[in-house]
Amino acid sequence: MLVDDFLPAYDVSDSVATVAAADVAAAWTALTEVDLIEVGRRKPMVGMLGGLRMLPDLAAHALHGEHAPEMPASLRLEELADAPVAEGGWIRLGERPGEEIALGLVGKFWRPVIDFAEVGPDEFKDFSQPGYAKTVYSLSVRALEPGRTLLSGVMRTATTDEHARRWFRRYWTFGVGSGAHVLVDGLLDLARERAEAAASAAP
């Protein structure tokens, strides 16, 4: 998997999966077309966790007399890498079309307002500046049998030194692990629904 290429050694890992009654092509299309904004609306826990994570950033903008960035009307996996890294845009690490996409972030995630590092896809694997964590989200589809597809997500994070490792483990322990799990689980669940709806509508 791409996650093994970009983050073979890691501090923490989590994974989620679901099975869709649809073929691989329909599952892949559904996965890439799921709207993350819709995931937040349809899955209350995802929306709540996302809102809580945004509060410190919104407060920082308000204290500095700045307008917070407007939320996009929709946000799909392919669009996550469109935003600047400094504003939380994901790094598009790689893709196997029709099979898997891997996205990454480098930052000090435990800070109330995250400090992101400007890192390109070619720099991600070897990035080792002290004080940071690197995370990869790998989302994939795989045929189980005709008309049944496994949709899965793997989330891994590695830290660059002991100081970052201590801070990140506290952050993970107090909720980021469950937050990542809930988010990706919600995304895959909506992808499964879309894939099965498309399969049912096919002639």
Side-chain angles (χ1 to χ4, degrees):
M1 294 181 69
L2 290 172
V3 68
D4 296 313
D5 295 336
F6 289 99
L7 208 62
Y10 48 91
D11 294 297
V12 294
S13 179
D14 191 15
S15 61
V16 293
T18 188
V19 176
D23 63 24
V24 169
W28 177 255
T29 298
L31 179 64
T32 56
E33 291 184 354
V34 165
D35 180 2
L36 295 172
I37 305 299
E38 183 186 359
V39 175
R41 294 194 191 105
R42 295 269 306 276
K43 306 291 182 179
M45 185 61 72
V46 173
M48 183 188 74
L49 290 170
L52 288 173
R53 193 64 192 89
M54 289 172 60
L55 279 176
D57 198 38
L58 294 174
H61 282 291
L63 286 171
H64 290 90
E66 302 167 347
H67 291 291
E70 290 188 14
M71 287 292 292
S74 64
L75 188 62
R76 292 169 174 78
L77 288 178
E78 299 282 350
E79 300 166 335
L80 282 175
D82 292 343
V85 172
E87 296 176 13
W90 286 72
I91 307 159
R92 188 189 181 97
L93 297 174
E95 180 177 343
R96 294 190 175 108
E99 297 179 14
E100 182 185 6
I101 184 170
L103 300 162
L105 277 180
V106 179
K108 299 178 180 181
F109 307 127
W110 48 89
R111 291 188 173 180
V113 178
I114 299 174
D115 178 13
F116 293 101
E118 294 277 355
V119 178
D122 296 337
E123 306 165 295
F124 184 90
K125 183 175 181 179
D126 295 325
F127 179 86
S128 59
Q129 184 176 330
Y132 283 91
K134 306 189 294 184
T135 192
V136 175
Y137 280 34
S138 173
L139 301 160
S140 64
V141 297
R142 180 167 59 87
L144 296 176
E145 58 188 43
R148 282 170 55 85
T149 301
L150 178 71
L151 295 96
S152 60
V154 178
M155 300 78 75
R156 288 182 186 172
T157 300
T159 49
T160 56
D161 65 2
E162 187 57 37
H163 174 77
R165 189 168 298 112
R166 286 197 302 270
W167 277 104
F168 182 78
R169 285 198 175 277
R170 291 170 190 161
Y171 179 57
W172 181 270
T173 301
F174 285 105
V176 69
S178 59
H181 189 101
V182 168
L183 169 62
V184 178
D185 185 59
L187 187 156
L188 295 182
D189 196 43
L190 260 65
R192 176 189 57 76
E193 290 180 10
R194 289 179 66 99
E196 292 180 342
S200 297

